[in-house]
């Protein structure tokens, strides 16, 4: 006998989740069977609500429930800085540090000739329009990968003609790591970015 | 900034899945954002359909789309055997072997005094009503755990007064294992269940 149809359908639909195969989906479905109807309805509704409401902020490109995201519509933030990130995940991660109070600009990708992602595919053109006289510093916070470096250089080049300071997050040895086990690139990056402490 | 509300809601609702915490749920949601509206709707609808349609078969207790499951309503199966299993998962696993063509009886649990699960909490009473003259063998296929053994003994006791053969799956060394690494209980079970081969 095959699995009951509504069971099998749910299994199939759950396998669109990343890393979820047939076995994991089955495990999820058995567990969902034990759940209240209310909980299942909540999950079902929140999927629809999510797809209906979530969009990219027209200003910064971050995921948002409205056309202008919460950060971009917050006038109390520091108007002198814009932090450039790869995706919305980075925004939420940086926000968790409570270290930064400026605005963001989400590229929604990185330049990658191999994957055929060119600068035009990224949310870069709107960045230029955001560089007003009020902006004093652009902080580049992209992943330290080849694609991140290439994108970072490209943005640096574009920003050359604007009277704005451009910085990037420091590279270095990660907290809690052991120098003995770090790879040479990481050590040499930390060497170049070393700080005078006295 | 907090995550957008419809994003956070979906994250929270996804954490009802077993083994899915905040981080995994966030990963799922980012990936769902990339999916077509149609796929999200399919997933959402299948959750509702599943909860609406799936129930326990009134005869055997297995998960089913209808009151009588596909196996119980199949008259071509072997009416002389009933296989007793812990849950519907076992039914689907045994069906995959294509070894067995009789009927099933799903207990939906095992006796466990520690967890306060008594024989009355299991789907045992309906089993008795199913033992007609046609039934010649009852195969007990419960997990070889303490709870499985206790439940197995309890069912054996109940079935004593019926003129029916009771068997259980053999215990033994699992295929592909190495005797060197098996625990003593497993070896001694395989010892007791040894088969004469010539």
């Amino acid at each position: 006998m095959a699995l009951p149809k509504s069971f099998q359908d749910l299994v199939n639909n759950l396998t669109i989740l990343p890393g979820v195969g047939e076995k994991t989906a089955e495990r999820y479905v058995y567990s969902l069977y034990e759940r209240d109807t209310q909980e299942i309805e909540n999950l079902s509704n929140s999927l629809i609500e999510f797809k209906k409401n979530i969009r990219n902020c027209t200003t910064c490109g971050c995921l948002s429930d409205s056309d202008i995201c919460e950060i971009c519509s917050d006038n109390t933030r520091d108007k002198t800085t814009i932090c450039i990130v790869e995706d919305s995940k980075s925004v939420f991660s940086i926000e968790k540090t409570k270290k930064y109070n400026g605005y963001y600009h989400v590229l929604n990708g990185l330049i990658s000739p191999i994957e055929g992602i060119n600068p035009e595919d990224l949310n870069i053109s709107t960045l230029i329009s955001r560089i007003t006289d009020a902006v004093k510093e652009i902080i580049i916070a992209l992943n330290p990968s080849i694609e991140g470096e290439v994108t970072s250089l490209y943005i640096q080049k574009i920003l050359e003609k604007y009277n704005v300071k451009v910085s990037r997050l420091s590279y270095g040895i990660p907290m809690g790591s052991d120098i003995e086990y770090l790879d040479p690139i990481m050590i040499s990056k930390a060497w170049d970015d070393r700080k005078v402490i006295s």
Side-chain angles (χ1 to χ4, degrees), chain A residues 116-166:
Chain A
I117 304 173
N118 298 314
E120 310 85 70
D121 301 321
L122 305 181
N123 184 26
I124 291 179
S125 59
T126 53
L127 171 64
I128 306 303
S129 64
R130 293 182 69 191
I131 306 174
T132 59
D133 286 344
V135 179
K136 301 295 174 215
E137 184 177 359
I138 305 248
I139 301 162
I140 300 180
L142 300 176
N143 288 332
S145 59
I146 308 254
E147 290 80 8
E149 298 280 290
V150 169
T151 312
S152 180
L153 280 171
Y154 180 85
I155 290 170
Q156 258 173 272
K157 196 86 189 153
I158 286 184
L159 296 178
E160 260 173 9
K161 55 174 180 261
Y162 297 91
N163 182 26
V164 65
K165 188 166 84 182
V166 180

Side-chain angles (χ1 to χ4, degrees), chain A residues 6 10 14 28-48:
Chain A
S6 55
L10 183 52
L14 280 170
Y28 285 174
V29 177
Y30 282 120
S31 122
L32 286 171
Y33 180 66
E34 309 292 335
R35 292 286 173 165
D36 297 345
T37 308
Q38 191 55 53
E39 286 177 300
I40 305 292
E41 280 177 3
N42 287 348
L43 175 54
S44 171
N45 292 339
S46 63
L47 278 161
I48 297 291

Side-chain angles (χ1 to χ4, degrees), chain A residues 39-170:
Chain A
E39 286 177 300
I40 305 292
E41 280 177 3
N42 287 348
L43 175 54
S44 171
N45 292 339
S46 63
L47 278 161
I48 297 291
E49 286 299 309
F50 170 76
K51 198 64 190 176
K52 203 171 70 190
N53 292 332
I54 285 285
R55 65 204 82 175
N56 292 103
C57 167
T58 51
T59 304
C60 74
C62 187
L63 289 184
S64 167
D65 270 334
S66 47
D67 284 339
I68 306 288
C69 77
E70 211 182 297
I71 292 176
C72 288
S73 49
D74 181 353
N75 279 316
T76 66
R77 293 184 79 111
D78 175 13
K79 288 171 189 64
T80 65
T81 49
I82 296 177
C83 172
I84 299 180
V85 293
E86 177 185 346
D87 51 27
S88 308
K89 291 179 221 187
S90 302
V91 173
F92 304 128
S93 297
I94 294 171
E95 281 296 287
K96 272 184 197 155
T97 68
K98 297 189 190 300
K99 184 129 196 123
Y100 177 65
N101 194 37
Y103 293 90
Y104 292 90
H105 194 81
V106 182
L107 299 178
N108 283 317
L110 292 174
I111 297 169
S112 168
I114 295 170
E115 291 181 50
I117 304 173
N118 298 314
E120 310 85 70
D121 301 321
L122 305 181
N123 184 26
I124 291 179
S125 59
T126 53
L127 171 64
I128 306 303
S129 64
R130 293 182 69 191
I131 306 174
T132 59
D133 286 344
V135 179
K136 301 295 174 215
E137 184 177 359
I138 305 248
I139 301 162
I140 300 180
L142 300 176
N143 288 332
S145 59
I146 308 254
E147 290 80 8
E149 298 280 290
V150 169
T151 312
S152 180
L153 280 171
Y154 180 85
I155 290 170
Q156 258 173 272
K157 196 86 189 153
I158 286 184
L159 296 178
E160 260 173 9
K161 55 174 180 261
Y162 297 91
N163 182 26
V164 65
K165 188 166 84 182
V166 180
S167 61
R168 65 159 169 76
L169 297 196
S170 70

